[in-house]
Amino acid sequence: LLIVTVVAGVLAAPYIKEGYAMYRQAVEQMPIADKVEEIRSSDAYTPFEEISPVFVNELLRSEDRRFYQHFAVDPISLVRAVGANVLHGRLVQGGSTITQQLAKNMYFSFEKKLERKIAEVFVAFQLERLYTKDEILSLYCALAYFGQNCYGVKHAAGYYYSTEPHLLNEQQSKELVKALKAPSVYNPSTM
């Protein structure tokens, strides 16, 4: 076990170094606090208190069941995803938390590279250190893509249902959360 750990560490070192460099470059160009203020000042931002609890529950059930129990990275989801990916011999499952997804949406491309995932983890740790879980959720909900050029739950609720985020019902919430998985496939307009 010790030998496997050492070999894994040696093999991972270049990716960790590159991921850390990506993280440093991103936050030097725009510090996390500045990026958060930019999001909060956008018209897509909705404070946590103004988002339907039904929507929040559906989001957590789908995207990150242990959101309030873990810090930035969910080891259980990570092990599950690695196991599934190894079993299938390719990337079939992700283990990203909502905080990691927020980090990706704030700074990085959607390119499936290990270095990007590592950079995302460094940002996620900073986000969890600087902001509450509810603040992280509201930031995520402002950047999430719901299809039809709708970024943020505020725009999606208005576009698809002509309503406000705090008024989303169970069916609407389920449809919007499902759209997060594949917006072109699960478009609420066609459901």
Side-chain angles (χ1 to χ4, degrees), residues 10 23 26 30 61 68 71 73 93 95 107 113 115 119 123 129 144 152 156 163 171 173:
V10 169
Y23 152 74
M30 181 174 269
R61 187 176 301 126
Y68 284 101
F71 185 80
V73 174
Q93 204 172 100
Y107 287 107
K113 290 178 68 178
E115 304 90 270
V123 173
R129 189 175 62 75
T163 193
Q171 184 62 36
S173 296

Side-chain angles (χ1 to χ4, degrees), residues 33-54:
D34 294 349
K35 193 75 165 173
V36 166
E37 284 312 307
E38 179 181 86
I39 296 165
R40 285 180 173 161
S41 66
S42 77
D43 66 340
Y45 181 75
T46 304
F48 181 77
E49 306 77 38
E50 296 176 24
I51 301 172
S52 165
V54 174

Side-chain angles (χ1 to χ4, degrees), residues 101-143:
Q101 292 176 50
L102 172 60
K104 176 180 61 187
N105 291 344
M106 287 172 70
Y107 287 107
F108 306 109
S109 71
F110 286 74
E111 187 178 22
K112 290 186 177 185
K113 290 178 68 178
L114 186 55
E115 304 90 270
R116 194 258 311 150
K117 293 292 286 177
I118 291 166
E120 172 185 300
V121 168
F122 282 112
V123 173
F125 276 112
Q126 287 288 351
L127 287 166
E128 292 264 354
R129 189 175 62 75
L130 297 170
Y131 301 97
T132 68
K133 291 286 192 173
D134 291 350
E135 289 172 317
I136 289 168
L137 271 174
S138 63
L139 293 165
Y140 173 79
C141 287
L143 295 181

Side-chain angles (χ1 to χ4, degrees), residues 43-46 142 146 149-160 163 165:
D43 66 340
Y45 181 75
T46 304
F146 294 91
N149 207 28
C150 292
Y151 288 89
V153 67
K154 183 177 184 179
H155 289 157
Y159 179 82
Y160 292 117
T163 193

